[in-house]
Amino acid sequence: RFVGYLVCVYGALALLTWAQGRSEIKPFIPTAAHMVVSMLSSQGAALILPARFLREHDVTWTEAFGLRQNRARAVLFGILLAFIALPVGWGLQKASFDVLGHFQMQPEEQAAVQGLRATDAWFSRFVVGIGAMLLAPAAEETLFRGILYPALKQLGHPRLALILSSVI
């Protein structure tokens, strides 16, 4: 089911990108209402499906996410890693802009950023911003770290599971 969900989501994104690239009409800029409906349907499903998955496999949330480990150490490690990853991310972003510029291509903002910029009402910006900052990361972590990684790890290759879940 999880693989089916991923195939549908990434297939839809690929088709949308392809269709938008072939379209002569200016790019669709979603409104805040579009963004809220989109977030609740995709990210909401990503939070609901794991609960059903865990229940079907008799796995608790604590077991699935490794919450029995030292939380203070995990938070500290996460903060330290963020200080390392952020400059690396900025460097990769600059490198990707340079590569796109070399091929005379212009980078485009994500639909969520376009939606935030197109919204005039502060309440709509707040709702979309909260969804982008809280709902999307929670859904992604639930799917990739709570479901996919443990499932791949049970196959007997923890390092391969880590790499595959990160790439996906």
Side-chain angles (χ1 to χ4, degrees), residues 92-107:
L92 290 173
Q93 181 182 23
K94 182 174 179 352
S96 68
F97 283 141
D98 292 345
V99 168
L100 287 173
H102 179 72
F103 291 106
Q104 286 82 30
M105 297 173 69
Q106 290 294 330

Side-chain angles (χ1 to χ4, degrees), residues 45-130:
L47 288 172
I48 292 170
L49 290 175
R52 184 173 178 190
F53 179 86
L54 294 174
R55 191 172 45 249
E56 285 178 5
H57 294 279
D58 282 333
V59 176
T60 66
W61 287 91
T62 303
E63 293 169 330
F65 289 96
L67 298 176
R68 291 185 183 158
Q69 299 174 0
N70 186 346
R71 291 182 188 158
R73 180 177 166 218
V75 169
L76 179 63
F77 184 68
I79 291 170
L80 291 173
L81 191 59
F83 279 114
I84 294 169
L86 193 57
V88 171
W90 286 334
L92 290 173
Q93 181 182 23
K94 182 174 179 352
S96 68
F97 283 141
D98 292 345
V99 168
L100 287 173
H102 179 72
F103 291 106
Q104 286 82 30
M105 297 173 69
Q106 290 294 330
E108 294 184 22
E109 291 181 329
Q110 293 178 339
V113 175
Q114 291 176 1
L116 279 172
R117 288 187 193 271
T119 303
D120 292 333
W122 282 102
F123 180 74
S124 296
R125 282 187 180 185
F126 175 77
V127 170
V128 172
I130 291 297

